[in-house]
Amino acid sequence: MKQFRALCVSALVAVISQAFALDYQTSGATLGKVIPELAAATELNLTVAPQVVNEVVIVRAKGVEKFDLLQRVADATGLAWIKTDEGFRLDKTNEITLLARQEYANYSQSMISDNVPNGLIKADYSADSLFNVITSMPASSISNMDIGGRLVFSTIPTRYQINFPGSSYNTALAGAKAIQQQQIDEFNKRIAGRRTDERTQSVLDSLKQPITKVFMVVQRFAFDVYRFELVGLTATGQERISVSRSTIFTSHPAVSVSANFSSWKIAENSDLKKRLAAFSANADKNSPYASELREMILNPDEHEPVAFAIGPAMIAGAPESVNFVACIPDEEMESIASGMNLHGFSSLGSAGSMLQAKADGNWVTIKPQLTHLTWATRRNRGQLAKLAQTYDKHGVLNLSDKAAYAPYANNFFGKKGWEMQIGGRVFNQAFAAELGTFQYSSLEALELYNTLKPRLTNSGSLTLPISVLNSGWLNYVIFNSTSGPERRSGNRPGGRIALDDLPLIANISGNATIELKLAAEEMLVQQRGGGFDNQTSRERTEFLANGLPANGNITVTQGSTTVIVGRSLDRSIQMVLSEGDLAGMRAAQLSSNVRTKAGLLGQSTNEFGVTRRVYYQFEIRYADNTTLTRTVTGVIPATTFVPYNKLPADLLSRVEQSATRMAEQANRRNDRTPPPQP
């Protein structure tokens, strides 16, 4: 409150004397709705900045001073009131933004420190070495990473890499060499007792090439999920070893709680308890509140999710003498609802809730533990409504639907958002899966599509100069995206690289090298029964160590394929199927020996619509033959749905023939019995 008055005292001196006791209550609404209501109630000219208009608050205030209430709203959302010529605007300031960012980094650092060494599980010699490198690095070196971000630590850094901090430099070198020696030992065991021919000796020699540079790629896929990859290079730039693992940091630091929730109560077996259960992740799909949940996902702007259960429960459960303002993050709504249902209001003070609670007189302010994360993950209610309404009408999302929503999504969006689980239950899991595509390389592809859309044609290929793209965006994608550039050489059918083609080292203007897998590594992979994967993450900063070539180009390929939208009559199951998928579903009906991804659909009364999937592939190719490829797809809504036996005759005939063949083959495999033992 002091902050608000200090900021506004000169402007409000004429109206402070007119302050009056105010009552205001909302079980959950966006600032876009709350602030105009507060402006009318307080008789002040109040506005909210567009970038925070979707922040959500729950308010119960009885007989309070209006400036006190306004400051509590600012405190709960992590925002500030800023004086304008017309009045006051609720917004972020540079200071607030920096503090929120530092809070995010500090919490991340504590989370990582609390999990090391116990939170990382060692599995074998490779994991041991990687584990040692990770634990030798200060938690602060990776705590400030954005979700979706990428850092590269190196013993010999390029302009886009950083030095290994402290003792991790020597640990990384020692770890890489230990892994290399173990691989040499494994190879020697495999060839023990065999004649060492020229080719085998060549492979062994390549395995023994000294590692002179080590780098570690760190990627953050969610707030508490990191991926680490340790890579060792030879003096000529060849990749000698590569090990990786993903780690979930399960332990979270204690949150700041000074409020006592022991007197906050929810009556057992009450409608509020049932609503909290219905909102939770493991709720019964056939909930009596299904129609309300449906309205919520179709129009969250009018049917605010937090007002379905959490807000009403807090208002009903708080003691009469307590006033409060609460801001609930979109990513935590379901876990908070579940915690309140199972453990009451004491769950609001647990680390898992990601909330802070502060008591001050008869006020309680409940705010997100990490406002930086909350702001980044707040869903745009209006845009989400358009997406859900389109899916409800057509059962698919066209490319234009996805492109329209893409500017309102980001890599911070996780799978815990309320719209994921609620959307999956109201519609089907296919809708939840669609929502999960607005991240990482898929989101980058949609950004490319939106940027190049005015230049795209309806069919065929198109070549554009690289200059049509923003160099800052492209630099970020090249060096920071979770999916980096590729260089393909010597590819043969089946995706393998011939031994004769390796090792291959290509200079880029004399300044950098391109690393490809060694023949020995391919041989080891094949001996383990796996195919060679030439998509493995490589040191992309070595591809373009001196920046982006000016003479690159972008090849855009547009096309479409026939697909079949299959759905149960109640639309609880829906899938986009290829002709082969449909044949697999039909084969599973003909034989219990057939397993297919469309099995559940085949067990229901269903209908099908024939349509097309449209795709655009963007290949950014540089002068050194390095490429970055992104693809976007969308399904054109089917106009007619019919039973299986009413599908077009030619399609039905092909599907039946394929299904019969698949069923017969499955039956023959299942009928095989081992020959009798002599």
Side-chain angles (χ1 to χ4, degrees):
M1 190 168 70
K2 291 180 181 179
Q3 178 188 1
F4 185 92
R5 286 176 172 164
L7 177 66
C8 306
V9 65
S10 60
L12 297 179
V13 68
V15 295
I16 287 177
S17 60
Q18 302 173 13
F20 54 89
L22 176 70
D23 292 348
Y24 181 79
Q25 179 172 300
T26 175
S27 58
T30 62
L31 291 179
K33 294 181 181 295
V34 169
I35 298 306
E37 292 177 356
L38 287 177
T42 60
E43 299 180 356
L44 296 171
N45 190 346
L46 307 174
T47 58
V48 58
Q51 65 265 32
V52 293
V53 75
N54 282 294
E55 291 305 306
V56 177
V57 291
I58 306 163
V59 182
R60 192 182 76 177
K62 295 182 179 181
V64 301
E65 200 268 333
K66 59 185 178 183
F67 305 119
D68 200 359
L69 172 58
L70 294 178
Q71 185 58 46
R72 305 291 174 175
V73 171
D75 291 343
T77 54
L79 303 171
W81 290 100
I82 299 172
K83 179 70 176 69
T84 67
D85 292 339
E86 296 78 22
F88 303 92
R89 183 181 72 251
L90 191 59
D91 201 352
K92 300 176 188 177
T93 64
N94 289 336
E95 180 183 8
I96 282 174
T97 302
L98 289 172
L99 286 173
R101 181 75 199 205
Q102 188 59 50
E103 178 186 56
Y104 171 87
N106 291 344
Y107 189 94
S108 299
Q109 182 173 336
S110 297
M111 176 186 70
I112 295 167
S113 298
D114 288 348
N115 282 268
V116 175
N118 296 326
L120 300 174
I121 300 173
K122 299 186 283 185
D124 52 35
Y125 72 91
S126 296
D128 283 354
S129 297
L130 181 56
F131 171 88
N132 291 335
V133 178
I134 295 169
T135 54
S136 70
M137 296 178 64
S140 58
S141 62
I142 59 173
S143 62
N144 200 36
M145 293 177 66
D146 278 333
I147 297 171
R150 179 180 182 276
L151 288 176
V152 182
F153 297 91
S154 176
T155 55
I156 309 174
T158 65
R159 60 187 290 189
Y160 293 103
Q161 299 172 343
I162 351 175
N163 279 304
F164 274 105
S167 63
S168 63
Y169 176 96
N170 291 327
T171 307
L173 279 173
K177 291 175 181 178
I179 295 169
Q180 179 187 27
Q181 185 58 53
Q182 185 67 32
Q183 290 184 351
I184 293 170
D185 294 343
E186 281 189 357
F187 188 77
N188 279 325
K189 287 180 182 178
R190 288 192 178 93
I191 63 174
R194 304 178 190 177
R195 183 175 61 86
T196 305
D197 57 19
E198 184 177 345
R199 183 175 181 179
T200 303
Q201 187 60 49
S202 175
V203 170
L204 186 58
D205 290 343
S206 68
L207 282 170
K208 293 180 178 179
Q209 290 179 16
I211 291 175
T212 58
K213 174 176 178 175
V214 178
F215 64 90
M216 186 164 73
V217 180
V218 183
Q219 295 169 288
R220 193 171 191 173
F221 286 102
F223 180 71
D224 52 4
V225 179
Y226 284 77
R227 181 179 184 275
F228 302 91
E229 180 183 18
L230 187 69
V231 181
L233 305 179
T234 67
T236 53
Q238 294 172 317
E239 183 176 301
R240 218 6 271 119
I241 63 101
S242 175
V243 295
S244 63
R245 69 175 290 117
S246 294
T247 298
I248 300 176
F249 294 105
T250 54
S251 174
H252 285 226
V255 295
S256 173
V257 178
S258 64
N260 185 347
F261 290 105
S262 61
S263 58
W264 294 46
K265 303 292 184 182
I266 308 174
E268 291 296 329
N269 299 317
S270 65
D271 179 67
L272 290 173
K273 287 277 286 185
K274 294 174 183 177
R275 283 179 168 273
L276 288 168
F279 196 86
S280 302
N282 297 320
D284 182 0
K285 190 171 184 178
N286 299 315
S287 163
Y289 306 101
S291 61
E292 287 186 63
L293 292 170
R294 182 180 182 82
E295 286 302 314
M296 186 180 74
I297 195 74
L298 287 173
N299 194 351
D301 204 28
E302 294 298 324
H303 303 275
E304 169 55 45
V306 81
F308 173 81
I310 297 173
M314 294 181 74
I315 287 173
E320 282 295 316
S321 60
V322 173
N323 299 308
F324 71 88
V325 179
C327 178
I328 307 297
D330 273 353
E331 291 269 317
E332 305 301 329
M333 280 188 194
E334 284 201 310
S335 62
I336 289 170
S338 180
M340 289 172 65
N341 175 50
L342 297 174
H343 309 293
F345 290 99
S346 62
S347 63
L348 297 179
S350 66
S353 72
M354 296 294 285
L355 295 174
Q356 301 179 48
K358 179 182 179 182
D360 179 13
N362 66 339
W363 274 104
V364 172
T365 304
I366 302 170
K367 63 176 292 186
Q369 178 71 30
L370 301 174
T371 49
H372 174 70
L373 191 59
T374 300
W375 296 334
T377 55
R378 188 67 76 185
R379 273 55 168 177
N380 184 300
R381 268 64 175 152
Q383 294 300 322
L384 188 56
K386 292 179 182 178
L387 204 67
Q389 289 166 17
T390 298
Y391 191 88
D392 182 48
K393 182 178 180 180
H394 300 296
V396 294
L397 294 178
N398 206 341
L399 187 51
S400 58
D401 305 323
K402 295 181 178 182
Y405 186 66
Y408 303 95
N410 59 61
N411 286 335
F412 280 76
F413 281 22
K415 304 263 192 253
K416 298 196 302 179
W418 57 268
E419 81 283 11
M420 291 281 191
Q421 294 291 338
I422 301 299
R425 296 206 302 269
V426 167
F427 298 128
N428 46 60
Q429 288 305 313
F431 178 66
E434 288 279 26
L435 291 175
T437 63
F438 292 97
Q439 285 185 311
Y440 308 123
S441 59
S442 296
L443 188 57
E444 291 162 5
L446 286 167
E447 291 171 343
L448 273 170
Y449 175 79
N450 281 331
T451 300
L452 300 177
K453 187 162 50 176
R455 303 169 182 265
L456 301 180
T457 59
N458 291 326
S459 61
S461 297
L462 173 69
T463 301
L464 300 169
I466 202 169
S467 58
V468 301
L469 296 176
N470 178 283
S471 60
W473 178 87
L474 194 55
N475 258 299
Y476 181 85
V477 171
I478 289 292
F479 296 108
N480 298 283
S481 172
T482 53
S483 300
E486 304 164 356
R487 183 183 176 89
R488 302 180 183 225
S489 176
N491 279 348
R492 293 189 176 180
R496 296 179 182 269
I497 294 183
L499 290 169
D500 293 342
D501 295 328
L502 294 171
L504 174 65
I505 304 171
N507 290 323
I508 307 175
S509 304
N511 294 309
T513 58
I514 294 176
E515 308 96 26
L516 292 177
K517 291 280 189 180
L518 289 174
E521 288 190 274
E522 183 202 20
M523 179 176 289
L524 289 174
V525 170
Q526 291 188 21
Q527 286 174 340
R528 295 179 185 131
F532 177 73
D533 177 13
N534 67 325
Q535 303 273 347
T536 302
S537 175
R538 300 189 183 87
E539 190 181 20
R540 76 196 69 188
T541 48
E542 295 290 355
F543 281 104
L544 302 165
N546 294 297
L548 300 172
N551 59 343
N553 56 54
I554 308 165
T555 300
V556 184
T557 304
Q558 189 272 339
S560 64
T561 57
T562 298
V563 293
I564 303 98
V565 179
R567 66 189 187 192
S568 57
L569 295 185
D570 64 358
R571 297 201 187 184
S572 62
I573 305 171
Q574 180 162 299
M575 297 180 178
V576 178
L577 308 169
S578 66
E579 188 174 309
D581 294 332
L582 185 59
M585 185 206 78
R586 177 62 177 142
Q589 294 175 333
L590 298 175
S591 169
S592 60
N593 295 320
V594 175
R595 300 290 180 267
T596 170
K597 73 174 187 179
L600 288 177
L601 181 64
Q603 296 169 21
S604 64
T605 304
N606 44 48
E607 59 185 5
F608 302 89
V610 181
T611 183
R612 299 192 72 76
R613 177 186 276 122
V614 176
Y615 67 87
Y616 284 87
Q617 182 184 76
F618 306 97
E619 183 183 79
I620 303 172
R621 183 174 293 276
Y622 305 98
D624 65 353
N625 209 32
T626 302
T627 63
L628 182 77
T629 304
R630 297 288 183 268
T631 303
V632 291
T633 65
V635 178
I636 299 172
T639 56
T640 304
F641 282 83
V642 297
Y644 173 78
N645 60 0
K646 298 295 184 182
L647 284 169
D650 57 337
L651 172 63
L652 196 59
S653 175
R654 293 195 304 272
V655 169
E656 282 292 318
Q657 290 177 22
S658 296
T660 300
R661 185 168 57 252
M662 292 168 66
E664 290 174 348
Q665 291 173 347
N667 289 337
R668 284 197 297 270
R669 286 195 300 269
N670 192 63
D671 289 341
R672 290 175 183 168
T673 57
Q677 295 296 320

XYZ file of all heavy atoms in Angstrom, residues 28-32 50-58 76-79 92 304-307 310 326-333 336 355 366-368 370-384 405 407-410 412-414 417-419:
491
model
N -13.493 -15.193 -9.741
C -12.434 -15.413 -10.727
C -12.746 -14.688 -12.009
O -13.769 -14.957 -12.646
N -11.891 -13.749 -12.382
C -12.090 -13.004 -13.625
C -10.752 -12.416 -14.049
O -9.844 -12.222 -13.233
C -13.125 -11.898 -13.445
N -10.625 -12.125 -15.334
C -9.406 -11.520 -15.852
C -9.344 -10.052 -15.448
O -10.373 -9.422 -15.159
C -9.338 -11.626 -17.376
O -10.452 -10.907 -17.948
C -9.383 -13.077 -17.836
N -8.134 -9.510 -15.459
C -7.983 -8.084 -15.167
C -8.736 -7.239 -16.183
O -9.165 -6.124 -15.877
C -6.502 -7.714 -15.161
C -5.660 -8.287 -14.013
C -4.204 -7.842 -14.150
C -6.217 -7.892 -12.659
N -8.894 -7.767 -17.389
C -9.666 -7.048 -18.401
C -11.102 -6.819 -17.992
O -11.754 -5.874 -18.452
N -2.406 -3.997 -22.079
C -2.867 -5.120 -22.915
C -2.110 -6.416 -22.659
O -2.696 -7.493 -22.717
C -2.633 -4.603 -24.343
C -2.653 -3.124 -24.231
C -2.071 -2.820 -22.889
N -0.809 -6.344 -22.352
C -0.030 -7.574 -22.203
C -0.337 -8.338 -20.930
O 0.075 -9.492 -20.773
C 1.481 -7.293 -22.288
C 2.029 -6.436 -21.173
C 2.089 -4.975 -21.566
O 1.255 -4.490 -22.336
N 3.092 -4.268 -21.064
N -1.063 -7.731 -19.989
C -1.413 -8.444 -18.757
C -2.927 -8.508 -18.564
O -3.409 -8.829 -17.480
C -0.743 -7.788 -17.523
C 0.761 -7.958 -17.594
C -1.126 -6.315 -17.393
N -3.671 -8.232 -19.611
C -5.130 -8.165 -19.493
C -5.744 -9.516 -19.152
O -6.845 -9.597 -18.593
C -5.728 -7.587 -20.798
C -5.704 -8.617 -21.917
C -7.135 -7.068 -20.574
N -5.033 -10.627 -19.452
C -5.561 -11.965 -19.176
C -5.170 -12.510 -17.808
O -5.531 -13.634 -17.478
C -5.104 -12.941 -20.267
C -5.908 -12.793 -21.541
O -7.104 -13.071 -21.582
N -5.252 -12.328 -22.598
N -4.414 -11.743 -17.017
C -4.107 -12.190 -15.659
C -5.413 -12.322 -14.876
O -6.311 -11.486 -15.010
C -3.166 -11.215 -14.968
C -1.758 -11.205 -15.542
C -1.133 -12.579 -15.542
O -1.088 -13.215 -14.472
O -0.696 -13.028 -16.610
N -5.503 -13.365 -14.056
C -6.758 -13.717 -13.391
C -6.644 -13.534 -11.884
O -5.645 -13.932 -11.282
C -7.134 -15.181 -13.715
C -8.403 -15.592 -12.977
C -7.329 -15.355 -15.217
N -7.671 -12.939 -11.274
C -7.684 -12.767 -9.824
C -9.006 -13.240 -9.236
O -10.051 -13.231 -9.897
C -7.441 -11.294 -9.413
C -6.019 -10.877 -9.717
C -8.435 -10.353 -10.082
N -8.926 -13.666 -7.983
C -10.095 -13.951 -7.146
C -10.067 -12.897 -6.044
O -9.018 -12.663 -5.436
C -10.013 -15.355 -6.521
C -9.789 -16.416 -7.606
C -11.263 -15.674 -5.714
C -9.291 -17.744 -7.058
N -0.870 -9.076 -5.707
C -1.174 -10.469 -6.054
C -0.732 -10.816 -7.468
O -0.303 -11.943 -7.734
C -2.671 -10.736 -5.898
N -0.821 -9.883 -8.375
C -0.458 -10.134 -9.780
C 1.002 -9.813 -10.071
O 1.488 -10.088 -11.170
C -1.351 -9.311 -10.718
O -1.284 -7.925 -10.343
C -2.792 -9.784 -10.656
N 1.705 -9.210 -9.098
C 3.101 -8.845 -9.315
C 3.269 -7.607 -10.165
O 4.360 -7.355 -10.688
N 2.217 -6.801 -10.288
C 2.237 -5.627 -11.158
C 2.295 -4.348 -10.325
O 2.387 -4.386 -9.105
C 1.008 -5.638 -12.074
C 0.849 -6.893 -12.934
C -0.500 -6.905 -13.641
C 1.988 -7.007 -13.938
N 3.407 -3.826 -15.964
C 4.756 -4.176 -15.541
C 5.629 -2.927 -15.633
O 5.406 -2.060 -16.480
C 5.365 -5.238 -16.460
C 4.609 -6.546 -16.536
C 5.267 -7.461 -17.565
C 4.465 -8.697 -17.829
N 5.062 -9.549 -18.883
N -14.770 -18.205 -16.990
C -13.388 -18.263 -16.505
C -13.123 -19.576 -15.764
O -13.851 -19.945 -14.838
C -13.114 -17.071 -15.594
C -11.816 -17.130 -14.823
C -10.604 -17.331 -15.711
O -10.518 -16.655 -16.760
O -9.759 -18.166 -15.360
N -12.071 -20.295 -16.142
C -11.776 -21.594 -15.509
C -11.606 -21.534 -13.994
O -12.081 -22.413 -13.277
C -10.483 -22.028 -16.201
C -10.528 -21.338 -17.525
C -11.194 -20.028 -17.290
N -10.930 -20.502 -13.494
C -10.695 -20.449 -12.050
C -11.998 -20.233 -11.281
O -12.107 -20.554 -10.096
C -9.655 -19.360 -11.708
C -10.284 -17.979 -11.674
C -8.943 -19.661 -10.398
N -13.013 -19.694 -11.976
C -14.306 -19.446 -11.329
C -15.192 -20.678 -11.298
O -16.267 -20.652 -10.692
C -15.038 -18.311 -12.053
N -12.128 -23.332 -8.035
C -11.139 -22.792 -7.097
C -11.637 -21.509 -6.450
O -11.610 -21.356 -5.222
C -9.792 -22.562 -7.806
C -9.220 -23.886 -8.316
C -8.804 -21.885 -6.866
C -7.976 -23.735 -9.164
N -6.326 -13.284 -4.688
C -5.488 -14.415 -5.110
C -5.327 -14.393 -6.618
O -6.279 -14.099 -7.356
C -6.117 -15.737 -4.676
N -4.126 -14.676 -7.064
C -3.835 -14.813 -8.495
C -3.362 -16.250 -8.718
O -2.356 -16.670 -8.136
C -2.759 -13.819 -8.926
S -2.281 -13.949 -10.669
N -4.093 -17.006 -9.532
C -3.817 -18.431 -9.737
C -3.219 -18.644 -11.130
O -3.847 -18.278 -12.133
C -5.104 -19.271 -9.598
C -5.809 -18.962 -8.272
C -4.799 -20.751 -9.737
C -5.015 -19.317 -7.039
N -2.019 -19.235 -11.248
C -1.408 -19.457 -12.567
C -2.197 -20.464 -13.400
O -2.736 -21.444 -12.879
C -0.011 -20.013 -12.230
C 0.209 -19.677 -10.791
C -1.132 -19.659 -10.149
N -2.255 -20.260 -14.699
C -2.925 -21.197 -15.610
C -2.308 -22.589 -15.540
O -3.008 -23.596 -15.631
C -2.841 -20.686 -17.055
C -3.989 -19.747 -17.389
O -4.896 -19.599 -16.548
O -3.980 -19.145 -18.478
N -0.972 -22.650 -15.390
C -0.284 -23.940 -15.404
C -0.510 -24.735 -14.117
O -0.248 -25.937 -14.087
C 1.223 -23.737 -15.600
C 1.615 -23.239 -16.973
C 1.912 -24.360 -17.948
O 2.585 -25.324 -17.567
O 1.468 -24.270 -19.107
N -0.982 -24.094 -13.056
C -1.109 -24.773 -11.766
C -2.558 -24.993 -11.344
O -2.806 -25.543 -10.266
C -0.377 -23.970 -10.680
C 1.079 -23.678 -10.976
C 1.902 -24.938 -11.181
O 1.582 -25.970 -10.570
O 2.863 -24.894 -11.963
N -3.521 -24.572 -12.155
C -4.926 -24.641 -11.724
C -5.359 -26.053 -11.356
O -6.014 -26.271 -10.332
C -5.845 -24.086 -12.819
C -5.916 -22.586 -12.858
S -7.191 -22.036 -14.001
C -6.765 -20.300 -14.143
N -3.691 -27.278 -8.130
C -4.233 -26.558 -6.978
C -5.637 -27.064 -6.648
O -5.972 -27.286 -5.478
C -4.240 -25.037 -7.251
C -2.795 -24.514 -7.248
C -5.087 -24.291 -6.232
C -2.645 -23.094 -7.723
N 2.613 -21.271 -5.020
C 1.964 -20.044 -4.571
C 2.651 -19.522 -3.315
O 3.165 -20.290 -2.507
C 0.484 -20.291 -4.259
C -0.433 -20.682 -5.419
C -1.819 -21.033 -4.885
C -0.520 -19.567 -6.445
N -2.511 -13.873 -1.942
C -2.001 -15.137 -2.488
C -1.524 -14.866 -3.906
O -2.314 -14.476 -4.775
C -3.101 -16.217 -2.482
C -3.617 -16.433 -1.058
C -2.578 -17.523 -3.069
C -4.855 -17.300 -0.977
N -0.242 -15.051 -4.118
C 0.331 -14.720 -5.429
C 1.180 -15.869 -5.937
O 1.610 -16.733 -5.169
C 1.184 -13.450 -5.332
C 2.397 -13.580 -4.418
C 3.262 -12.321 -4.450
C 3.944 -12.132 -5.796
N 4.890 -11.003 -5.820
N 1.454 -15.906 -7.238
C 2.315 -16.956 -7.788
C 3.718 -16.875 -7.206
O 4.237 -15.781 -6.938
C 2.319 -16.660 -9.293
C 1.101 -15.835 -9.530
C 0.909 -15.026 -8.290
N 6.287 -17.636 -8.865
C 7.120 -17.135 -9.966
C 6.249 -16.333 -10.931
O 5.611 -16.891 -11.826
C 7.797 -18.301 -10.694
C 8.704 -19.191 -9.839
C 9.186 -20.382 -10.643
C 9.877 -18.402 -9.277
N 6.230 -15.023 -10.765
C 5.400 -14.192 -11.644
C 5.917 -14.215 -13.080
O 5.133 -14.135 -14.026
C 5.343 -12.747 -11.126
O 6.671 -12.282 -10.842
C 4.516 -12.663 -9.866
N 7.226 -14.342 -13.258
C 7.790 -14.418 -14.615
C 7.193 -15.602 -15.369
O 6.793 -15.488 -16.536
C 9.308 -14.549 -14.532
C 9.989 -14.775 -15.847
N 10.078 -13.796 -16.818
C 10.609 -15.876 -16.367
C 10.728 -14.282 -17.871
N 11.053 -15.540 -17.620
N 7.102 -16.744 -14.692
C 6.545 -17.947 -15.303
C 5.038 -17.802 -15.503
O 4.486 -18.227 -16.522
C 6.855 -19.151 -14.414
C 6.590 -20.543 -14.981
C 7.391 -20.786 -16.247
C 6.904 -21.614 -13.946
N 4.356 -17.210 -14.554
C 2.901 -17.025 -14.653
C 2.533 -16.120 -15.814
O 1.618 -16.410 -16.586
C 2.347 -16.444 -13.335
O 2.638 -17.356 -12.281
C 0.845 -16.226 -13.417
N 3.237 -15.003 -15.949
C 2.955 -14.101 -17.069
C 3.179 -14.799 -18.407
O 2.388 -14.659 -19.337
C 3.860 -12.867 -16.991
C 3.643 -11.997 -15.800
C 2.485 -11.863 -15.066
C 4.614 -11.144 -15.176
N 2.679 -10.984 -14.034
C 3.973 -10.514 -14.075
C 5.937 -10.842 -15.434
C 4.638 -9.604 -13.252
C 6.596 -9.941 -14.614
C 5.953 -9.331 -13.536
N 4.278 -15.556 -18.490
C 4.628 -16.200 -19.766
C 3.634 -17.286 -20.156
O 3.452 -17.568 -21.337
C 6.038 -16.786 -19.693
N 2.986 -17.923 -19.170
C 2.116 -19.064 -19.466
C 0.628 -18.713 -19.393
O -0.215 -19.597 -19.514
C 2.384 -20.225 -18.498
O 2.240 -19.758 -17.145
C 3.779 -20.781 -18.695
N 0.312 -17.446 -19.211
C -1.104 -17.079 -19.152
C -1.720 -17.182 -20.541
O -1.253 -16.570 -21.490
C -1.268 -15.659 -18.613
C -2.709 -15.283 -18.348
C -3.302 -16.093 -17.219
N -2.837 -15.643 -15.907
C -3.141 -16.250 -14.777
N -3.887 -17.343 -14.780
N -2.672 -15.802 -13.625
N -2.762 -17.983 -20.657
C -3.403 -18.200 -21.953
C -4.276 -17.017 -22.347
O -4.957 -16.425 -21.490
C -4.270 -19.462 -21.916
C -3.560 -20.756 -22.230
C -2.362 -21.055 -21.390
N -1.906 -22.443 -21.549
C -0.843 -22.941 -20.972
N -0.088 -22.193 -20.198
N -0.509 -24.198 -21.164
N -4.281 -16.712 -23.626
C -5.168 -15.692 -24.151
C -6.556 -16.310 -24.306
O -6.787 -17.161 -25.157
C -4.649 -15.178 -25.502
C -5.485 -14.039 -26.048
O -6.681 -14.176 -26.290
N -4.842 -12.902 -26.258
N -7.485 -15.896 -23.444
C -8.805 -16.527 -23.406
C -9.543 -16.415 -24.737
O -10.151 -17.378 -25.215
C -9.658 -15.895 -22.304
C -9.588 -16.567 -20.943
C -8.244 -16.523 -20.300
N -8.320 -17.090 -18.938
C -7.304 -17.663 -18.341
N -6.142 -17.756 -18.943
N -7.424 -18.154 -17.127
N -9.522 -15.253 -25.349
C -10.253 -15.054 -26.598
C -9.717 -15.901 -27.733
O -10.486 -16.511 -28.495
N -8.394 -15.967 -27.870
C -7.803 -16.746 -28.961
C -7.990 -18.246 -28.741
O -8.219 -18.998 -29.679
C -6.313 -16.409 -29.088
C -6.034 -14.990 -29.535
C -6.632 -14.692 -30.902
O -6.638 -15.535 -31.791
N -7.133 -13.475 -31.062
N -7.907 -18.670 -27.481
C -8.121 -20.083 -27.176
C -9.562 -20.477 -27.487
O -9.832 -21.587 -27.966
C -7.788 -20.355 -25.713
C -7.779 -21.813 -25.260
C -6.813 -22.652 -26.108
C -7.406 -21.912 -23.794
N -3.386 -18.887 -33.939
C -3.140 -19.045 -32.502
C -1.655 -18.956 -32.150
O -1.301 -18.602 -31.014
C -3.698 -20.393 -32.023
C -3.629 -20.597 -30.532
C -4.380 -19.807 -29.663
C -2.805 -21.574 -29.977
C -4.317 -19.994 -28.283
C -2.746 -21.770 -28.599
C -3.503 -20.972 -27.763
O -3.432 -21.150 -26.398
N 0.864 -16.858 -32.566
C 1.469 -15.684 -31.909
C 1.147 -15.578 -30.422
O 1.782 -14.798 -29.708
C 0.856 -14.505 -32.691
C 0.454 -15.072 -34.008
C 0.006 -16.465 -33.703
N 0.164 -16.329 -29.952
C -0.246 -16.242 -28.554
C 0.279 -17.415 -27.727
O -0.081 -17.566 -26.561
C -1.779 -16.177 -28.470
C -2.345 -15.025 -29.258
C -2.790 -15.212 -30.569
C -2.395 -13.745 -28.723
C -3.289 -14.149 -31.309
C -2.884 -12.682 -29.458
C -3.326 -12.890 -30.754
O -3.811 -11.833 -31.488
N 1.118 -18.260 -28.326
C 1.715 -19.405 -27.636
C 3.221 -19.208 -27.547
O 3.797 -18.365 -28.242
C 1.387 -20.702 -28.375
N 3.874 -19.986 -26.677
C 5.331 -19.915 -26.571
C 5.848 -21.192 -25.932
O 5.076 -22.053 -25.506
C 5.761 -18.680 -25.764
C 5.193 -18.662 -24.360
O 5.465 -19.560 -23.560
N 4.380 -17.668 -24.044
N 7.094 -21.705 -23.139
C 6.807 -21.852 -21.718
C 5.533 -22.664 -21.495
O 5.312 -23.177 -20.407
C 6.648 -20.481 -21.061
C 7.955 -19.795 -20.728
C 8.718 -19.206 -21.713
C 8.415 -19.737 -19.422
C 9.910 -18.573 -21.419
C 9.610 -19.114 -19.112
C 10.362 -18.527 -20.114
N 4.675 -22.744 -22.514
C 3.425 -23.495 -22.351
C 3.748 -24.963 -22.122
O 4.381 -25.610 -22.953
C 2.559 -23.374 -23.610
C 1.799 -22.079 -23.722
C 2.218 -20.956 -23.043
C 0.680 -21.985 -24.506
C 1.535 -19.755 -23.142
C -0.025 -20.797 -24.620
C 0.404 -19.670 -23.936
N 3.293 -25.509 -21.015
C 3.541 -26.912 -20.712
C 2.295 -27.741 -20.889
O 1.247 -27.268 -21.330
N -1.256 -27.039 -18.446
C -2.265 -26.009 -18.584
C -3.669 -26.593 -18.479
O -3.933 -27.694 -18.969
N -4.588 -25.860 -17.861
C -5.945 -26.366 -17.629
C -6.622 -26.773 -18.930
O -7.430 -27.696 -18.967
C -6.785 -25.312 -16.909
C -6.863 -24.005 -17.661
C -6.035 -22.930 -17.516
C -7.791 -23.664 -18.682
N -6.376 -21.931 -18.397
C -7.465 -22.351 -19.127
C -8.860 -24.319 -19.281
C -8.178 -21.699 -20.123
C -9.571 -23.672 -20.286
C -9.233 -22.373 -20.697
N -6.291 -26.088 -20.032
C -6.989 -26.371 -21.291
C -6.603 -27.729 -21.871
O -7.361 -28.307 -22.657
C -6.724 -25.253 -22.316
C -5.404 -25.333 -23.079
C -4.184 -24.889 -22.285
O -4.292 -24.709 -21.054
O -3.123 -24.724 -22.892
